[in-house]
C-alpha cells in the first residue's frame, strides 16, 4: 500500500515510539550495523509503535532499519532535504517492497542555517521538495511523509501536504498550539527527550549537556521565545524552568506521566529519545528501552 488515509496511518504509528540518532548504519562498521539490527528487532518485539531514525539519517539508514524489522512502522526523524535530492529519496522509497513501503514514513526537515551552507528560504525549499516528490514516478505521496514543523507556516504545510508534523524539542504548550494549527485530522508526533535518573540535579546536568547544542540554533530558540521563555532561560545550558518543560526527567513512571501530558495536549504519538549520561545520547540504551516498555505496558 503506497498511500494511506489519516485514520489508517494514525493506527500504524501507535501511541509511543522510540527516537534514536544511533540507528545510522551508514556511520558505523559491520559490528555496529549488526548491533543496530539486533536493537531494532528487539524494539519491535517490545511493542513500540514506531522507530524514528533521528539525527538526519540517509535513505540507506532507513532501508537498513526497515529490512531488519517485520511489522513496526519506521520513520526518518528527520531526513535533511539539503543533503538528499527528492529524486534520490523517491527512488529509494520505490525500491522497498510493497509490504515494507506500507510501513515506512518519510520524515523531512529543513535543518538549520548554522548547519547547512546552502540554507535559504526554507519554507519555499520545502514546498519545492514536496512538489518534486509528487512528480516522481512513483510519487512519495502526502500520506507517506511527515514534516519537522515548529512555526505556524510549516505546521500548515504539514497538514496540507503531508500526513502531519513531527516537532522536535517542544513543550506541551507547543503541542496544544500545533494541534490547533494542524486541525483535528493531521498526525501530530512530537519527540520527547527522556533522562531516566531519579536524582533531579544529576538528571538536569545530563539534559543540559544535550540541550546546549540546540540552544545555538535559532529555529529552536525562536520557537521557545514564542512560547514565553526568555533569553535568560538559555544561559548556562538552560534554566530549570526550561529543562523541566522540554524533558521527561525521573523514573519510568514519571516518563509515562510526562508522555501522557503531550497526548492530553493533542499529540497522537510521542517519540521518546532516551538520553544517558555515560553515552552522551549516542549509544543504544537497550536496558532503558526495556524499562520504559515495561512501564508503558499496554499503552504501547
Amino acid at each position: 500500500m503506497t498511500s494511506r488515509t489519516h485514520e489508517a496511518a494514525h493506527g500504524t504509528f501507535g501511541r509511543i515510539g522510540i527516537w534514536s540518532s544511533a540507528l545510522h548504519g551508514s556511520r558505523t562498521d559491520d559490528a555496529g550495523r549488526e548491533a543496530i539490527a539486533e536493537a531494532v528487532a528487539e524494539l519491535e518485539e517490545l511493542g513500540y509503535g514506531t522507530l524514528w531514525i533521528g539525527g538526519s539519517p540517509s535513505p540507506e539508514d532507513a532501508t537498513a532499519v526497515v529490512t531488519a524489522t517485520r511489522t513496526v512502522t519506521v520513520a526518518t526523524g528527520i531526513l535533511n532535504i539539503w543533503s538528499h535530492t527528492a529524486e534520490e529519496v523517491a527512488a529509494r522509497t520505490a525500491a522497498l517492497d510493497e509490504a515494507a513501503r506500507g510501513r515506512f514514513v518519510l520524515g523531512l526537515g529543513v535543518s538549520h542555517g548554522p548547519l547547512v551552507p546552502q540554507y535559504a528560504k526554507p519554507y519555499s525549499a520545502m514546498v519545492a521538495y514536496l512538489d518534486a516528490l509528487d512528480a516522481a514516478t512513483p510519487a512519495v505521496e502526502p500520506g507517506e511523509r511527515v514534516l519537522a514543523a515548529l512555526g505556524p507556516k510549516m505546521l500548515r504545510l504539514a497538514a496540507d501536504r503531508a500526513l502531519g508534523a513531527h516537532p522536535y524539542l517542544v513543550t506541551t504548550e507547543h503541542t496544544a498550539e500545533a494541534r490547533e494549527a494542524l486541525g483535528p485530522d493531521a498526525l501530530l508526533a512530537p519527540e520527547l527527550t527522556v533522562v531516566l535518573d531519579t536524582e533531579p540535579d544529576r538528571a538536569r546536568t545530563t539534559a543540559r549537556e544535550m540541550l546546549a547544542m540546540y540552544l545555538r540554533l535559532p529555529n529552536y530558540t525562536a520557537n521557545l521565545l514564542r512560547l514565553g521563555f526568555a533569553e535568560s532561560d538559555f544561559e548556562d545550558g538552560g534554566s530549570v524552568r526550561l529543562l523541566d518543560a522540554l524533558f521527561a526527567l525521573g523514573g519510568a513512571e514519571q516518563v509515562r506521566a510526562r508522555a501522557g501530558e503531550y497526548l492530553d495536549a493533542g499529540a497522537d504519538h510521542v517519540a521518546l529519545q532516551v538520553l544517558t549520561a555515560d553515552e552522551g545520547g549516542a549509544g543504544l540504551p537497550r536496558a532503558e528501552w526495556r524499562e520504559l516498555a515495561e512501564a508503558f505496558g499496554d499503552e504501547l
Side-chain angles (χ1 to χ4, degrees), residues 23-293:
L23 304 181
H24 293 249
S26 63
R27 301 180 189 176
T28 186
D29 55 16
D30 288 344
R33 285 186 282 274
E34 183 178 349
I36 290 169
E38 291 176 357
V40 297
E42 182 183 19
L43 286 169
E44 180 175 58
E45 291 301 317
L46 288 171
Y48 289 105
T50 301
L51 308 184
W52 295 86
I53 311 167
S56 299
S58 70
E60 292 82 0
D61 296 324
T63 298
V65 174
V66 170
T67 302
T69 54
R70 296 175 293 107
T71 59
V72 71
T73 298
V74 176
T76 52
I78 51 78
L79 186 139
N80 182 345
I81 66 168
W82 308 101
S83 299
H84 308 278
T85 68
E87 293 75 16
E88 173 194 1
V89 170
R92 282 282 182 172
T93 303
L96 296 170
D97 66 43
E98 185 175 0
R101 184 167 179 176
R103 60 186 178 85
F104 173 64
V105 178
L106 178 63
L108 299 168
V110 295
S111 188
H112 305 273
L115 304 179
V116 178
Q118 67 269 43
Y119 190 91
K121 298 183 178 179
Y123 180 84
S124 297
M126 180 60 82
V127 171
Y129 202 94
L130 296 176
D131 289 343
L133 291 176
D134 289 342
T137 304
V140 180
E141 299 180 6
E144 297 177 281
R145 61 202 191 202
V146 296
L147 305 187
L150 294 175
K153 284 182 66 177
M154 199 65 81
L155 285 166
R156 285 195 294 271
L157 187 66
D160 293 341
R161 301 285 306 274
L163 185 59
H166 174 50
Y168 185 90
L169 201 68
V170 293
T171 65
T172 54
E173 289 77 14
H174 180 274
T175 298
E177 292 180 9
R179 171 50 67 203
E180 185 174 355
L182 288 167
D185 296 326
L187 179 81
L188 179 54
E191 173 272 348
L192 173 61
T193 303
V194 170
V195 181
L196 277 172
D197 191 333
T198 56
E199 205 291 305
D201 289 341
R202 190 171 58 208
R204 292 187 183 113
T205 295
T206 301
R208 283 191 177 98
E209 291 174 355
M210 174 265 204
L211 184 60
M213 178 187 75
Y214 294 102
L215 294 180
R216 295 193 291 269
L217 300 175
N219 288 0
Y220 290 123
T221 55
N223 186 56
L224 293 170
L225 291 171
R226 278 197 301 267
L227 291 168
F229 292 97
E231 294 281 355
S232 58
D233 285 304
F234 307 152
E235 296 173 0
D236 302 319
S239 67
V240 169
R241 178 172 81 115
L242 181 62
L243 294 168
D244 290 352
L246 289 175
F247 291 82
L249 309 173
E253 291 298 330
Q254 289 170 285
V255 172
R256 188 174 81 165
R258 282 287 284 144
E261 293 173 9
Y262 284 79
L263 294 167
D264 290 344
D268 300 293
H269 169 94
V270 178
L272 303 177
Q273 176 182 187
V274 176
L275 187 65
T276 57
D278 58 330
E279 295 173 334
L284 297 167
R286 294 176 67 174
E288 288 83 357
W289 290 339
R290 294 175 195 131
E291 183 179 354
L292 288 171

